[in-house]
């Protein structure tokens, strides 16, 4: 980019790399410049929506995902991102439609099912929320989010035994996840610490039981 500041492939890679490094504002700048110099390739900039969402600018993220969907209707990433942005903005009906489209495009992806269950719960559609949560559990039995939603649904419906089961499992998985994250953070500074690697592996094994 020092040699050719507006080279589109480099701007796109810079935006993607900055996003993966969690430098979300740098990613936003790179993607926006990419769109300026290569407007016909806007369909490649789902990453800008992700950066805006990560920055907490949900309205701007929503608007960008809608632009991407306008030129690339089959983008799973854009529909998923649109659904999350709409959910954060409290637009539950539109969020539901976007997440259902993401599921249609990628039916075996855990994430849109888990988010859909939350959207439906907040829309007081408890049966649908439980169905979506159970499907998320089938796709990833070790992520705590779906169990948390299932716990809340069961509690609302007065299903006390199921609520207790879901709450217990949610708390177990959340504790394991926190432990693994702590090991990940320590390994950033001690990548050659064999004992840390072993402890992390043990935590993963316990999580899978």
């Amino acid at each position: 980019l020092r040699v050719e500041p507006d080279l589109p492939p480099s701007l796109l890679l810079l935006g993607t790399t900055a996003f993966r490094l969690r430098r979300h504002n740098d990613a936003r700048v790179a993607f926006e410049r990419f769109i300026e110099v290569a407007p016909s390739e806007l369909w490649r900039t789902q990453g800008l929506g992700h950066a805006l969402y990560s920055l907490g600018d949900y309205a701007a993220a929503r608007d960008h995902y809608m632009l991407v969907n306008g030129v690339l209707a089959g983008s799973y990433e854009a529909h998923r991102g649109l659904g999350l942005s709409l959910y954060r903005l409290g637009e539950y009906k539109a969020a539901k439609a976007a997440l259902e489209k993401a599921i249609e495009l990628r039916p075996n992806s855990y994430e849109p099912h888990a988010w859909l269950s939350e959207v439906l719960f907040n829309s007081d559609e408890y049966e649908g929320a439980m169905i979506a949560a159970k499907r998320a559990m089938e796709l990833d039995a070790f992520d705590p989010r779906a169990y948390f939603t299932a716990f809340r649904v069961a509690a609302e419906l007065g299903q006390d035994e199921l609520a207790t089961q879901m709450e217990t499992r949610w708390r177990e998985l959340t504790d394991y996840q926190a432990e693994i994250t702590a090991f990940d953070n320590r390994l950033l500074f001690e990548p050659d610490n064999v004992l840390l690697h072993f402890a992390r592996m043990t935590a993963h094994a316990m999580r899978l039981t």
Side-chain angles (χ1 to χ4, degrees), residues 2-67:
R2 290 193 185 97
V3 175
E4 191 172 340
D6 292 333
L7 185 66
S10 294
L11 287 168
L12 188 64
L13 287 170
L14 177 61
T16 302
T17 302
F19 179 78
R20 290 180 178 173
L21 290 170
R22 299 183 182 180
R23 293 169 54 177
H24 299 129
N25 195 58
D26 290 341
R28 178 187 63 80
V29 172
F31 282 126
E32 287 178 346
R33 185 59 185 158
F34 172 82
I35 292 172
E36 288 178 11
V37 300
S40 64
E41 297 187 58
L42 180 141
W43 60 274
R44 302 179 70 181
T45 60
Q46 295 97 323
L48 175 55
H50 302 343
L52 291 167
Y53 180 90
S54 298
L55 289 166
D57 194 344
Y58 304 126
R62 172 200 60 198
D63 294 344
H64 186 70
Y65 286 128
M66 291 178 71
L67 286 175

